[in-house]
Amino acid sequence: MNGEWIVGAAKVDITPPQPIPLAGFAHRSEVYEGVAQRLYARIWIFAEPSVQGIAEAKAILIQADLIWWGSDQIRPLLDKIVSRWGIKEEAVIFHASHTHGGPQTSSRFVPMLGLADSAYLAWLEGQVLSGIGEAHASMEPVMVEMGKGSCPLGIHRRKRMDGRMNMAPNPEGAADPEVTVIRMTATDGRIKGIWFHYTCHPTTTGDNWVTSEYPGAAMERLERQLGGQVIATFLQGYCGDIRPALIKDGQFFRGNDEDVKRLGRQLADEVIRVLDAPMQQLESASIQASAEQVELAFVNYLSSEQLAKDRTADGAAAQRSELFQSDPSRNEQPAKLQLNYLQLAKELVLVGANAEMVVEYGLYLKQEINPHILPLGYTNGMIGYVPTAEQIAEGGYEGGESAVYFGLPGAFTPAIEGQIKTAFKSLNRLPAAAQD
């Protein structure tokens, strides 16, 4: 490829045209009250020149201001993309920022997490496909550079208090403050776009307003500041146990839209600082993509007696029981963790997971497997939280309590940590160019 990158990009509005319920917080049951920030999908296409010199698309990244991409919605979209553009399925990355201010995209979870709206999902699919067409039309050669920074926006959210694991600020817990910035510059000197990768839940506010949260505030600020037709794209890390450091009297609190903008400005300012410093130019390489599935077993499955008891209860347990009644296989099969590996350059590798992966797995990827990996949570579907073996033993929300909301029988077995790390190693061995 002689060091040449060929990239296309597009940005499409995916704000629900009509008020519908938002996803992510059980205390919200009505349709949204208004729009604080519009939602967008930002689409990137990476191509290689063919023998005839024609740019041939090899990979697509679709990043969206959504809580996640529903596993039940991904399949039809993937089929259309593969059929229409001929891109290999494993090279298509659907990635979400994990904002809790957007619509539900899955029908597999308890209604308390938000009800999916079928009309919105059909419209969303059309917007995405249209955006891919726009991105194809904008393909051009670019120079790609990378820089690193740091931002203290997030903090570990698991802390043992009064003999149990609570959701509380824990500055001693694992976190990943690293900010990775990618700049793509066209041959005429115009910045085509930037990516910035960070690791923290977008749960600044729980208000019933549409919002792209701090990632959206940062993206919009950067697009305004850089000007032109620049598309800024946020990439979310494995942030399952990381939350914004909004703390009062030793406890977390929910903020408002002003806090969203403040945190977005904090992250955007660090991205600008990195862009203003010397950056490393990345040489393109043959695009490599692969995928691996890991079956995650549960410690126990729910008995028919427990399900019957739950059915007469209130709240999430009753809603889960209804899900199991309509689909008994939920209580018989392991969860399927999908890992996607996409190498765009020796120094730029994405590892996506269809789960709320805790930060410890992201740190393992970056520190033990390959320092050039950017872990991407909320990618190509959603199964729920994936904790470490230690967290499973400790309990708490990520360790097992969250399972009820995602329609899962309960906690995973501690053996999943070893299985996942083995899969990480296997994926990283495939494209030799990713090795140091």
Side-chain angles (χ1 to χ4, degrees):
M1 291 182 63
N2 300 319
E4 184 181 51
W5 293 70
I6 301 174
V7 173
K11 174 182 172 181
V12 293
D13 196 319
I14 59 169
T15 310
Q18 305 295 332
I20 59 175
L22 302 180
F25 289 124
H27 69 266
R28 299 182 307 204
S29 58
E30 304 297 325
V31 300
Y32 69 74
E33 298 174 35
V35 178
Q37 294 172 279
R38 299 195 69 80
L39 309 180
Y40 294 94
R42 293 163 168 92
I43 299 163
W44 293 86
I45 297 179
F46 291 85
E48 296 178 2
S50 67
V51 177
Q52 294 80 18
I54 301 170
E56 183 180 356
K58 292 290 186 180
I60 297 180
L61 171 76
I62 302 147
Q63 184 274 349
D65 298 328
L66 295 171
I67 191 165
W68 43 60
W69 291 91
S71 298
D72 41 343
Q73 300 298 325
I74 288 293
R75 184 73 263 161
L77 255 174
L78 271 176
D79 290 344
K80 289 181 175 68
I81 291 170
V82 171
S83 172
R84 192 173 302 183
W85 287 287
I87 295 173
K88 293 182 179 178
E89 182 176 311
E90 58 268 28
V92 180
I93 303 293
F94 284 91
H95 178 60
S97 66
H98 194 49
T99 177
H100 284 46
Q104 178 61 269
T105 60
S106 177
S107 301
R108 290 193 56 80
F109 310 135
V110 299
M112 290 176 68
L113 282 187
L115 289 169
D117 183 281
S118 59
Y120 171 75
L121 294 177
W123 178 79
L124 172 65
E125 180 177 299
Q127 290 294 94
V128 168
L129 294 174
S130 175
I132 294 174
E134 291 179 29
H136 267 90
S138 78
M139 287 195 297
E140 61 183 325
V142 297
M143 175 181 70
V144 180
E145 300 167 285
M146 173 187 286
K148 301 279 187 178
S150 182
C151 183
L153 189 154
I155 189 171
H156 197 82
R157 71 181 197 183
R158 290 172 55 83
K159 187 174 183 179
R160 183 168 292 280
M161 302 166 61
D162 300 323
R164 69 182 303 274
M165 190 58 64
N166 289 273
M167 192 174 289
N170 181 5
E172 305 303 317
D176 185 1
E178 185 173 68
V179 180
T180 301
V181 182
I182 309 293
R183 178 169 58 202
M184 304 178 197
T185 306
T187 54
D188 60 4
R190 164 180 44 87
I191 299 177
K192 188 175 186 70
I194 62 168
W195 289 1
F196 57 109
H197 179 273
Y198 189 65
T199 305
C200 180
H201 255 78
T203 51
T204 311
T205 177
D207 294 343
N208 194 24
W209 284 67
V210 172
T211 175
S212 52
E213 258 279 349
Y214 80 81
M219 286 186 279
E220 292 176 13
R221 183 177 179 85
L222 288 164
E223 288 172 349
R224 289 193 302 268
Q225 216 163 327
L226 295 172
Q229 299 299 311
V230 172
I231 296 176
T233 299
F234 172 83
L235 301 179
Q236 180 66 268
Y238 290 179
C239 69
D241 48 5
I242 305 296
R243 179 170 163 172
L246 297 176
I247 303 167
K248 184 177 181 180
D249 299 328
Q251 296 293 325
F252 287 120
F253 69 89
R254 299 282 181 211
N256 54 29
D257 190 51
E258 288 303 311
D259 295 297
V260 167
K261 290 181 170 61
R262 177 174 58 82
L263 295 183
R265 181 170 62 249
Q266 180 182 358
L267 181 55
D269 287 349
E270 178 61 9
V271 172
I272 290 293
R273 190 195 68 77
V274 174
L275 291 171
D276 287 342
M279 300 180 75
Q280 174 192 0
Q281 184 172 342
L282 303 185
E283 293 296 319
S284 66
S286 178
I287 295 169
Q288 303 283 345
S290 57
E292 188 154 333
Q293 195 172 87
V294 185
E295 293 193 344
L296 309 181
F298 300 97
V299 173
N300 292 302
Y301 290 89
L302 295 171
S303 67
S304 56
E305 291 79 14
Q306 183 64 53
L307 287 170
K309 180 181 178 181
D310 289 345
R311 206 166 296 132
T312 61
D314 294 323
Q319 293 182 359
R320 178 180 62 177
S321 182
E322 291 180 13
L323 291 175
F324 278 42
Q325 187 174 18
S326 62
D327 181 8
S329 67
R330 288 174 176 267
N331 201 32
E332 301 165 355
Q333 299 175 356
K336 294 177 173 59
L337 176 66
Q338 172 84 15
L339 300 174
N340 280 75
Y341 181 107
L342 178 61
Q343 175 193 279
L344 299 171
K346 179 180 178 181
E347 299 90 356
L348 181 55
V349 180
L350 310 178
V351 176
N354 64 334
E356 300 216 41
M357 305 290 287
V358 294
V359 73
E360 286 82 355
Y361 286 114
L363 294 172
Y364 176 82
L365 275 171
K366 294 164 73 171
Q367 296 172 0
E368 304 295 331
I369 301 294
N370 184 345
H372 305 309
I373 285 175
L374 297 182
L376 301 185
Y378 314 97
T379 296
N380 287 13
M382 173 52 54
I383 59 172
Y385 279 88
V386 175
T388 63
E390 182 178 7
Q391 289 174 339
I392 292 169
E394 293 170 338
Y397 187 74
E398 302 84 1
E401 291 174 6
S402 62
V404 63
Y405 297 100
F406 290 93
L408 303 175
F412 293 117
T413 66
I416 67 165
E417 179 174 340
Q419 294 174 264
I420 293 167
K421 289 180 175 179
T422 298
F424 284 157
K425 293 174 184 175
S426 175
L427 280 171
N428 194 62
R429 286 193 202 104
L430 294 177
Q435 304 297 327
D436 287 327

